[in-house]
């Protein structure tokens, strides 16, 4: 397995020989940095792999900056909580980049219990000419040293090193589901099922609890927090989503403990669609502010909704991701697929939204033209430079030639994690243990 | 009775899920356990509603529950347009536009009445409330004995005694109840 650690499939430029996937290789999060130059992935084995876009060269104008592995490191290790006799998984739940402020890159990565700040820096020079040790590192016999010299920096092969600069731990009783960096670039929040904690990036031994929805009697628990995010522009505003399908917007200036929301977004349930599984499918799995800060997008099991921050009683837009699954909720409950947490993402201009589905399908919705498309991330359909063909799921009756019927969908192939380049039309899609990067057509 | 059978199946599946989650790596997942328990609660309510005798004018909170399994059945039937037509004659309600809920409730009630007639005396007897201690139903894990997944208990018919909320939550939060003191 070790020899495969760097052989992630990127840009469809090389293929794996074998199809089996070890569980540790399953990608659990993907995230572009704020310039789009770097792309980070985290996996179930606790590793982070960072890809860097190569510089576009004039000699090869057709190669539009492909992504290559830049750095790989083990972010989290499995741990054991002796007090509760619980194993803490090393799976990376979320990665968030800090905007670049100097030559090094910084990212936050988290597993279920601990958040870490990693510094990724390049080293292309090394000092040579030490006095006390020779070039191989062996200590020199002091009696042989007759003169002093000043070590000189000599160029070396580029080395990219990742070091853990901060470890933010022991603040969460429940499992961390999200982290979000504040626009003030000084603080961030980490969120578990019942609490949201505010940290200062410099201080690791203290965090402030700003939301706590734990009931005094756990038997009265009806709702958990599923995701939280800071507003992209207002450093005092954040939103968190719940398992009941509601979103709360909070203002940290109001009170130290933000248990009372400023805005409460919820759409009343449609009683005609009520079923055993109504609660599960209304649970929000992801919440994302738009880049302009005017809208919120939420993903529940069957839909993506865009909310206007000024309108709390219903979403502005609702998009059906895979409504054909509505009649299959019972089987999806039995095979656990109904608990899958899909993410959703905005494009740079907030005009298109994207989310994943099953059978390695992912969907894009254009908010302006109201057109949508279903695409598939699969090795067979993705030769380099190939144009992805739109896919269609046939819901009943006659199946056309290129359509796929609902019963033929492979529910083990799910796209939970996707990310969109902040400025360009480049998307990264994680399909189990494979990473696909798609770009706009090159003319 | 389909609603009953479906509710039973979902209940059994939910319990096995809760049980399996105990040994899952990374500890009990609160969110998932909560969702499973919500489904279980719905299934349990349907199951009990369908086992006990209900007056045709069932109390309002029952309505959403009653409509749900029927709506699932509806989906399995061919064209949905036929469904309201089928339920109307059964209920003998006015042909004026019915809400889907009313139609389904009628369908449920008529099914409930039928089932009651066919219920075995032993099952009917068990409507009697029993204390929690003596009521330890077969399918629920007892606090004392440790069950292995796949044991016979799951195959046993569901007892009809009411499962207290605390019983469900005690299987949900064994760890959290221990760590409450430390928080």
């Amino acid at each position: 397995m070790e020899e495969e650690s760097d052989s992630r499939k990127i840009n469809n430029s090389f293929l794996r020989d074998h199809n089996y996937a070890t569980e540790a290789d399953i990608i659990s999060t993907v995230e572009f940095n704020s310039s789009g130059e770097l792309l980070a992935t985290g996996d179930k084995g606790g590793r982070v792999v960072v890809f860097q876009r190569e510089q576009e060269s004039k000699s090869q104008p057709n190669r539009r900056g492909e992504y290559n592995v830049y750095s790989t490191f083990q972010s989290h290790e499995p741990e054991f909580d002796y007090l509760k006799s619980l194993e803490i998984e090393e799976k990376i739940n979320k990665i968030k980049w800090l905007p670049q402020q100097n030559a090094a890159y910084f990212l936050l990565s988290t597993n279920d219990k601990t958040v870490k700040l990693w510094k990724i820096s390049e080293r292309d020079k090394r000092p040579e000419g030490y006095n006390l040790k020779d070039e191989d590192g062996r200590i020199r016999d002091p009696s042989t040293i007759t003169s002093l010299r000043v070590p000189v920096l000599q160029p070396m092969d580029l080395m990219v090193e990742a070091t853990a600069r901060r470890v933010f731990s022991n603040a969460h009783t429940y499992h961390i589901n999200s982290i979000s960096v504040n626009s003030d670039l000084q603080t961030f929040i980490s969120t578990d099922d019942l609490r949201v904690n505010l940290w200062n990036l410099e201080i690791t031994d203290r965090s402030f609890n700003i939301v706590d929805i734990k009931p005094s009697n756990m038997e009265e628990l009806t709702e958990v927090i599923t995701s939280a995010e800071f507003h992209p522009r207002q450093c005092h505003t954040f939103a968190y989503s719940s398992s009941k399908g509601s979103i709360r917007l909070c203002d940290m200036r109001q009170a130290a403990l933000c248990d009372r929301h400023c805005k409460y977004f919820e759409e009343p349930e449609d009683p005609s669609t009520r079923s055993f599984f109504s609660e599960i499918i209304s649970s929000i799995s992801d919440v994302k502010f738009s880049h302009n800060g005017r809208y919120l997008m939420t993903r529940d099991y069957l839909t993506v909704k865009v909310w206007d921050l000024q309108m709390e009683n219903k979403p502005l837009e609702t998009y059906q991701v895979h409504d054909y699954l509505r009649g299959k909720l019972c089987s999806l409950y039995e095979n656990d697929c109904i608990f899958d947490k899909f993410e959703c993402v905005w494009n740079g201009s907030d005009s298109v939204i994207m989310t994943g589905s099953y059978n390695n399908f992912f969907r894009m919705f254009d908010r302006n033209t109201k057109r949508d498309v279903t695409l598939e991330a699969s090795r067979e359909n993705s030769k380099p430079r190939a144009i992805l063909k739109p896919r269609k799921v046939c819901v009943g009756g006659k199946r056309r030639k290129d359509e796929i019927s609902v019963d033929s969908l492979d529910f083990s192939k799910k796209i939970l994690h996707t990310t969109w380049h902040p400025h360009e039309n480049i998307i990264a899609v994680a399909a189990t243990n494979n990473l696909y990067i798609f770009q706009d057509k090159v003319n | 009775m389909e609603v009953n059978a479906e509710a039973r199946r979902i209940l059994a599946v939910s319990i096995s899920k809760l049980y399996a989650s105990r040994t899952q790596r990374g500890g009990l997942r609160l969110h998932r356990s909560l969702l499973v328990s919500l489904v279980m609660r719905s299934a349990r309510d349907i199951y009990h509603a369908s086992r006990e005798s209900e007056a045709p004018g069932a109390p309002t909170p029952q309505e959403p529950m009653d409509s749900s399994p029927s709506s699932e059945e509806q989906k399995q039937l061919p064209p949905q347009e036929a469904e309201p037509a089928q339920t109307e004659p059964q209920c003998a309600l006015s042909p004026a536009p019915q809400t889907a809920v009313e139609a389904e409730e009628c369908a449920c009630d008529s099914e409930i009445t039928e089932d009651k007639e066919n219920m075995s005396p032993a099952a009917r007897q068990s409507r009697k409330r029993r204390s929690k201690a003596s009521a330890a139903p077969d399918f629920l894990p007892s606090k004392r004995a440790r069950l292995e997944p796949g044991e016979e208990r799951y195959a046993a018919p569901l007892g009809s005694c009411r499962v207290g909320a605390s019983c469900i939550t005690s299987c949900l939060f064994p760890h959290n109840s221990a760590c409450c003191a430390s928080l």
Side-chain angles (χ1 to χ4, degrees):
Chain A
M1 197 184 92
E2 279 76 356
E3 77 275 4
E4 296 170 40
S5 61
D6 283 328
S7 61
R8 290 274 172 80
K9 185 175 141 73
I10 44 167
N11 268 354
N12 318 312
S13 51
F14 61 91
L15 300 173
R16 266 192 202 225
D17 318 311
H18 34 72
N19 282 323
Y20 69 83
T22 46
E23 206 178 303
D25 288 337
I26 295 175
I27 299 173
S28 50
T29 186
V30 278
E31 188 82 7
F32 275 107
N33 75 338
S34 43
S35 65
E37 182 203 352
L38 298 179
L39 174 67
T41 63
D43 65 20
K44 263 191 142 186
R47 285 166 306 191
V48 172
V49 180
V50 179
F51 299 87
Q52 185 186 45
R53 197 176 187 192
E54 63 185 25
Q55 300 296 334
E56 291 180 29
S57 64
K58 293 200 173 69
S59 59
Q60 287 183 309
N62 285 332
R63 280 178 73 87
R64 279 176 33 161
E66 296 187 350
Y67 285 84
N68 302 310
V69 177
Y70 179 63
S71 172
T72 304
F73 56 93
Q74 186 76 33
S75 170
H76 287 73
E77 299 271 4
E79 285 172 52
F80 197 79
D81 180 338
Y82 296 97
L83 193 63
K84 295 178 200 160
S85 292
L86 285 180
E87 200 181 351
I88 299 169
E89 276 190 289
E90 67 276 27
K91 170 167 82 95
I92 308 294
N93 292 334
K94 282 279 155 45
I95 289 175
K96 285 279 146 74
W97 289 94
L98 267 60
Q100 199 175 3
Q101 291 177 301
N102 53 34
Y105 304 102
F106 288 88
L107 61 78
L108 285 173
S109 70
T110 186
N111 69 348
D112 284 338
K113 299 284 181 184
T114 304
V115 185
K116 293 187 185 180
L117 176 70
W118 287 90
K119 174 182 175 185
I120 302 164
S121 49
E122 293 181 7
R123 189 193 290 269
D124 60 357
K125 294 184 186 50
R126 69 157 179 259
E128 282 177 22
Y130 284 101
N131 291 295
L132 295 177
K133 53 182 181 176
D134 62 22
E135 299 310 317
D136 300 331
R138 280 181 302 218
I139 311 287
R140 288 169 72 186
D141 182 0
S143 58
T144 63
I145 301 171
T146 53
S147 61
L148 284 178
R149 54 185 178 173
V150 177
V152 178
L153 288 175
Q154 300 288 355
M156 59 179 257
D157 290 339
L158 179 68
M159 191 169 80
V160 181
E161 29 181 41
T163 44
R165 302 297 292 171
R166 307 268 189 281
V167 177
F168 306 92
S169 55
N170 296 324
H172 286 280
T173 311
Y174 302 97
H175 298 112
I176 296 176
N177 52 51
S178 48
I179 47 176
S180 178
V181 183
N182 201 347
S183 49
D184 67 6
L185 305 186
Q186 291 181 1
T187 55
F188 72 94
I189 48 173
S190 58
T191 308
D192 67 28
D193 293 318
L194 298 177
R195 298 189 174 102
V196 180
N197 290 333
L198 179 72
W199 302 82
N200 183 305
L201 283 163
E202 299 297 325
I203 300 169
T204 58
D205 60 356
R206 216 175 316 149
S207 72
F208 287 99
N209 175 244
I210 56 175
V211 175
D212 188 341
I213 64 166
K214 182 172 191 278
S216 45
N217 181 2
M218 276 298 271
E219 293 181 3
E220 292 161 20
L221 182 75
T222 53
E223 196 174 14
V224 298
I225 301 173
T226 52
S227 187
E229 201 188 36
F230 266 118
H231 190 279
R233 310 255 170 105
Q234 296 167 10
C235 57
H236 46 77
T237 305
F238 67 96
Y240 68 91
S241 59
S242 83
S243 56
K244 275 193 172 170
S246 64
I247 309 101
R248 289 170 177 81
L249 197 71
C250 299
D251 189 330
M252 297 199 293
R253 298 170 299 187
Q254 233 176 6
L257 193 57
C258 300
D259 276 355
R260 281 184 16 217
H261 52 263
C262 285
K263 287 188 196 262
Y264 180 77
F265 300 87
E266 192 179 39
E267 186 177 26
E269 193 194 342
D270 180 5
S272 66
T273 56
R274 186 105 177 75
S275 75
F276 279 117
F277 309 105
S278 296
E279 281 111 348
I280 303 189
I281 63 171
S282 64
S283 175
I284 293 176
S285 51
D286 195 17
V287 66
K288 290 261 169 48
F289 278 99
S290 61
H291 291 96
N292 59 22
R294 288 171 51 197
Y295 306 105
L296 262 180
M297 171 167 50
T298 58
R299 175 70 155 99
D300 53 50
Y301 191 63
L302 297 177
T303 69
V304 192
K305 294 177 181 166
V306 175
W307 302 77
D308 187 324
L309 289 188
Q310 309 301 325
M311 188 165 68
E312 297 168 56
N313 61 340
K314 62 182 168 90
L316 198 61
E317 298 148 22
T318 302
Y319 301 93
Q320 302 294 335
V321 182
H322 38 215
D323 202 55
Y324 45 78
L325 296 182
R326 201 178 280 275
K328 293 192 158 288
L329 294 178
C330 198
S331 356
L332 293 167
Y333 178 70
E334 286 176 34
N335 66 12
D336 279 351
C337 283
I338 208 173
F339 299 105
D340 287 334
K341 297 196 166 111
F342 292 95
E343 291 171 10
C344 52
V345 68
W346 297 88
N347 74 338
S349 58
D350 299 330
S351 58
V352 182
I353 57 181
M354 176 170 71
T355 189
S357 178
Y358 292 104
N359 210 73
N360 280 352
F361 286 169
F362 56 100
R363 305 260 284 137
M364 286 192 201
F365 302 92
D366 189 317
R367 297 178 59 219
N368 300 324
T369 65
K370 299 300 179 205
R371 288 210 316 250
D372 63 87
V373 68
T374 304
L375 300 169
E376 183 180 358
S378 80
R379 213 170 290 158
E380 294 79 34
N381 302 337
S382 310
K383 311 267 180 310
R385 312 279 171 264
I387 294 175
L388 287 180
K389 206 175 62 177
R391 303 301 310 250
K392 197 150 157 50
V393 178
C394 120
V395 276
K398 289 198 180 135
R399 186 182 74 91
R400 291 207 199 105
K401 203 181 92 163
D402 280 338
E403 289 181 0
I404 182 165
S405 73
V406 180
D407 297 314
S408 319
L409 293 174
D410 187 344
F411 289 96
S412 67
K413 292 190 181 156
K414 51 193 92 167
I415 292 181
L416 304 173
H417 313 288
T418 57
T419 184
W420 203 306
H421 190 287
H423 314 301
E424 298 183 36
N425 280 343
I426 305 174
I427 56 173
V429 166
T432 320
N433 61 324
N434 290 315
L435 181 71
Y436 292 81
I437 301 177
F438 299 110
Q439 297 186 7
D440 246 0
K441 196 164 70 160
V442 180
N443 291 321
Chain B
M1 221 228 343
E2 282 187 51
V3 170
N4 206 1
E6 170 123 37
R8 255 168 70 165
R9 195 168 113 243
I10 289 176
L11 209 47
V13 166
S14 306
I15 288 162
S16 65
K17 279 191 199 303
L18 277 181
Y19 226 68
S21 65
R22 284 180 155 195
T23 50
Q24 205 175 44
R25 196 165 169 248
L28 214 57
R29 298 267 152 191
L30 190 64
H31 184 201
R32 197 187 137 107
S33 308
L34 179 69
L35 294 177
V36 173
S37 72
L38 290 173
V39 170
M40 256 178 70
R41 211 160 288 179
S42 302
R44 180 199 74 194
D45 290 346
I46 302 283
Y47 183 76
H48 284 301
S50 66
R51 297 256 347 230
E52 293 173 6
S53 63
E54 294 279 332
T60 327
Q62 294 271 330
E63 269 187 24
M65 298 304 186
D66 287 344
S67 67
S68 54
S70 300
S71 67
E72 281 195 52
E73 285 177 293
Q74 278 193 2
K75 280 169 178 66
Q76 287 149 20
L77 290 169
Q80 200 156 350
E81 299 84 70
E83 185 56 19
Q86 288 169 14
T87 53
E88 273 180 90
Q90 274 182 0
C91 299
L93 285 174
S94 69
Q98 301 179 25
T99 60
V101 170
E102 282 178 358
E104 286 153 10
E105 193 198 329
C106 276
C108 252
D109 287 339
S110 55
E111 288 172 287
I112 288 166
T113 338
E114 284 165 17
D115 189 54
K116 186 185 163 197
E117 287 164 11
N118 294 331
M119 247 166 35
S120 66
R124 222 196 285 199
Q125 221 173 28
S126 54
R127 277 180 51 207
K128 212 157 113 185
R129 273 183 192 271
R130 282 180 254 173
S131 72
K132 243 197 284 187
S134 60
D138 283 346
F139 64 90
L140 278 184
S142 76
K143 284 188 186 175
R144 294 169 208 100
R146 194 180 139 91
L147 282 182
E148 298 308 311
E151 270 200 16
E152 277 179 0
R153 275 185 183 177
Y154 298 137
L158 297 181
S160 68
C161 63
R162 290 193 183 280
V163 177
S166 53
C167 213
I168 294 177
T169 53
S170 66
C171 19
L172 281 182
F173 311 121
H175 299 292
N176 297 342
S177 52
C179 73
C180 257
S182 60
L183 286 172

